[in-house]
């Protein structure tokens, strides 16, 4: 109890002692989406109208009073959501959802996994999802799966870890499914993955060589925390990477991003290091896949958690959202936004309503150029928070002109602008995830090689006091 009170006192002190820039307000009235707990919530432009829509699963009833499986909500651009009727199959205990353009038709498809089935749904371009029965995916229990271009051929492949059933006797599996570019998947025969339990997967580029390496956190057969890292050779051939200095975790959530703005990807983990020890850890990458834990952070140790990295105040660095429970469980639950001050310094900037076994998504839902937050979880169900941060140092706009050509492109891009306007360029997918970032050293022109990508992306150009964006279409 003293430990919990000390954390709460410290957070209160932080919030009262600094003039933080980040500020969120609980939406009133709340947009109409499902009031559910747990599950998954993802944001992306499902109907290609330029705003962020939602895919939602969880425990509870949907807005029509039916048991929630998977629900689609379309945004009108102002943060008002409309339920879109679908013909999804019945899922028992949905394990997760991934969203990506799997068939290279420039819209976002989804894959849903559950204890009884794992299904692929193709988007028709207007957010109607059509079931494709011809897939090799497995039903899964206490597993995870992830999508990305693992073999460098320009399409999204799938890696799936899990268990074939809920019995302790059911075997674990770890599989990689390669995409032929049309959304047809085959099981790769050239893998070295070793499966285990309570999996959490995340891609990372360990050593800045441009391919997708794999982090896998979980629990082994002795109920001990487990970590296995697999290095990609660029062609989808993975081998064990054993020299990272990252402690094993039974991870609830893993986020990857360039926290310290040095051009490589760092790691934020929340969960536990054993059955009774909650742990939140931030690991800083040296650029070669060697990590050091940043020990002097204000992040409390949490479990039954979810978190996210996002630029919440438009100052070009990644802030942190932490949601979960401290030692003791309910009612010691919270949601805290930490502002990144640079140089690996963070302060607690705002508190939201806490949630247990939560899920979250962050995107600009109301079209004001600032990222909003949606959180769902036990006790609170679902809450949407508008970002009311006063942006003074950086504003996202298109007033700083630049040109990109050719667009559409086969991957070779040239960017031109006036002298001294920009210092960094990023490629972001339609889910808002950073795909590639490069420092701009030249004046007036920068070239990029994006041959491994295909589909629609956002190109973001960062200046000292501006962010300018343009959609690009990459073709193979």
């Amino acid at each position: 109890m003293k430990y919990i009170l000390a954390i709460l006192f410290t957070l209160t002190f932080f919030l009262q002692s600094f003039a933080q820039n980040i500020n969120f307000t609980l939406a009133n009235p709340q947009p109409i989406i499902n009031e559910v707990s747990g599950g998954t919530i993802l944001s992306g432009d499902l109907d290609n109208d330029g705003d962020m829509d939602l895919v939602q699963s969880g425990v509870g009833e949907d807005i029509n009073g039916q048991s929630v499986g998977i629900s689609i909500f379309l945004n009108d651009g102002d943060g008002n959501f409309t339920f879109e009727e679908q013909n999804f199959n019945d899922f028992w205990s949905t394990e997760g959802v991934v969203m990506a353009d799997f068939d290279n038709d420039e819209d976002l498809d989804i894959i849903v996994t559950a204890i009884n089935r794992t299904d692929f749904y193709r988007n028709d371009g207007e957010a109607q999802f059509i079931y494709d029965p011809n897939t090799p995916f497995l039903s899964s229990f206490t597993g995870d799966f992830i999508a990305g271009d693992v073999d460098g051929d320009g399409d999204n492949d799938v890696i799936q870890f899990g268990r074939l059933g809920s019995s302790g006797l059911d075997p674990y599996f770890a599989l990689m499914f390669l995409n032929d570019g049309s959304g047809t998947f085959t099981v790769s025969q050239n893998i070295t993955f070793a499966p285990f339990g309570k999996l959490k997967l995340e891609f990372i580029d360990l050593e800045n060589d441009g391919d997708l390496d794999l982090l896998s956190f979980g629990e082994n057969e002795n109920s001990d925390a487990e970590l296995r890292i697999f290095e990609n050779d660029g062609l989808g051939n993975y081998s064990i990477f054993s020299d990272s200095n990252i402690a094993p975790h039974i991870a609830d959530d893993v986020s990857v991003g360039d926290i310290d703005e040095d051009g490589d990807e760092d790691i934020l983990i929340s969960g536990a290091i054993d059955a009774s020890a909650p742990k939140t850890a931030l690991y800083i990458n040296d650029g070669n896949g060697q990590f050091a834990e940043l020990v002097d952070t204000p992040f409390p140790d949490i479990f039954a958690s979810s978190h996210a990295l996002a630029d919440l105040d438009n100052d070009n660095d990644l802030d942190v959202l932490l949601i979960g429970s401290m030692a003791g469980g309910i009612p010691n639950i919270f949601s805290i936004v930490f502002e990144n001050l640079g140089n690996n310094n963070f302060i607690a900037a705002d508190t939201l309503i806490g949630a247990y076994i939560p899920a979250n998504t962050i995107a600009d839902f109301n079209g004001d150029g600032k990222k909003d937050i949606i959180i769902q979880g036990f006790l609170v169900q679902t809450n949407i928070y508008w970002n009311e941060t006063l942006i003074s140092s950086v504003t996202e706009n298109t007033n700083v002109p630049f040109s990109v050509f050719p667009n559409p492109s086969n991957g070779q891009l040239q960017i031109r602008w006036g002298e001294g306007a920009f210092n960094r360029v990023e490629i972001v997918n339609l889910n808002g995830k950073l795909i590639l970032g490069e420092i701009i050293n030249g004046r007036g022109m920068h070239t990029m090689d994006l041959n491994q990508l295909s589909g629609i992306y956002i190109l973001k150009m960062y200046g000292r006091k501006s962010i300018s964006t343009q959609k690009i279409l990459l073709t193979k």
Side-chain angles (χ1 to χ4, degrees), residues 83-126:
F83 180 74
E84 185 78 2
E85 293 284 352
Q86 305 286 333
N87 291 314
F88 291 129
N89 294 318
D90 292 329
F91 294 95
W92 306 340
S93 183
T94 303
E95 291 287 312
V97 184
V98 292
M99 178 167 54
D101 182 6
F102 291 108
D103 51 8
N104 284 335
D105 62 353
E106 300 174 15
D107 54 40
L108 293 172
D109 313 300
I110 61 175
I111 302 175
V112 184
T113 187
I115 292 176
N116 65 319
R117 61 192 309 137
T118 295
D119 290 347
F120 174 37
Y121 293 90
R122 299 176 185 264
N123 189 343
D124 69 354
E126 299 180 350

Side-chain angles (χ1 to χ4, degrees), residues 241-354:
F241 185 83
S242 58
D243 191 22
S244 69
N245 299 320
I246 301 172
H249 283 67
I250 305 170
D252 297 320
D253 206 355
V254 181
S255 293
V256 169
D258 187 3
I259 288 283
D260 54 0
E261 299 183 88
D262 63 350
D264 53 45
E265 293 185 317
D266 311 302
I267 305 171
L268 179 67
I269 311 165
S270 63
I273 53 176
D274 61 46
S276 60
K279 178 69 174 177
T280 303
L282 175 58
Y283 286 92
I284 302 300
N285 191 346
D286 70 354
N288 297 306
Q290 298 296 302
F291 292 83
E293 183 179 358
L294 189 64
V295 295
D296 296 323
T297 72
F299 307 144
D301 292 327
I302 59 174
F303 70 100
S305 58
S306 174
H307 58 252
L309 304 175
D311 183 4
L312 300 175
D313 50 3
N314 285 5
D315 65 350
N316 298 343
D317 57 32
L318 295 174
D319 308 297
V320 175
L321 171 66
L322 283 181
I323 315 161
S325 174
M326 290 179 285
I330 296 173
N332 303 314
I333 58 175
F334 61 88
S335 302
I336 306 173
V337 176
F338 292 89
E339 183 178 348
N340 187 344
L341 302 179
N343 297 317
N344 292 325
N345 294 310
F346 298 84
I347 56 172
D350 203 356
T351 57
L352 314 178
I353 299 172

Side-chain angles (χ1 to χ4, degrees), residues 96-97 179-180 271 356 380 386:
V97 184
N179 189 349
D180 70 354
Y356 189 75
V380 298
W386 300 135

Side-chain angles (χ1 to χ4, degrees), residues 424-465:
R424 180 173 172 82
V425 59
E426 291 183 353
I427 304 298
V428 179
N429 68 17
L430 296 182
N431 298 328
K433 183 176 181 180
L434 176 65
I435 303 299
L436 176 67
E438 294 182 358
I439 301 298
I440 295 174
N441 295 316
R443 288 181 175 268
M445 186 175 71
H446 185 76
T447 59
M448 301 187 77
D449 184 353
L450 304 175
N451 281 324
Q452 294 184 348
L453 301 178
S454 64
I456 298 177
Y457 294 86
I458 306 297
L459 188 147
K460 304 181 76 171
M461 296 287 286
Y462 289 85
R464 190 170 64 88
K465 291 188 176 181

Side-chain angles (χ1 to χ4, degrees), residues 311 314 364-372 387 391 395-396:
D311 183 4
N314 285 5
D364 178 11
F365 295 110
N366 58 5
D368 65 353
K370 295 177 288 189
K371 293 182 174 65
D372 311 300
N387 192 338
I391 304 299
T395 55
E396 186 158 350

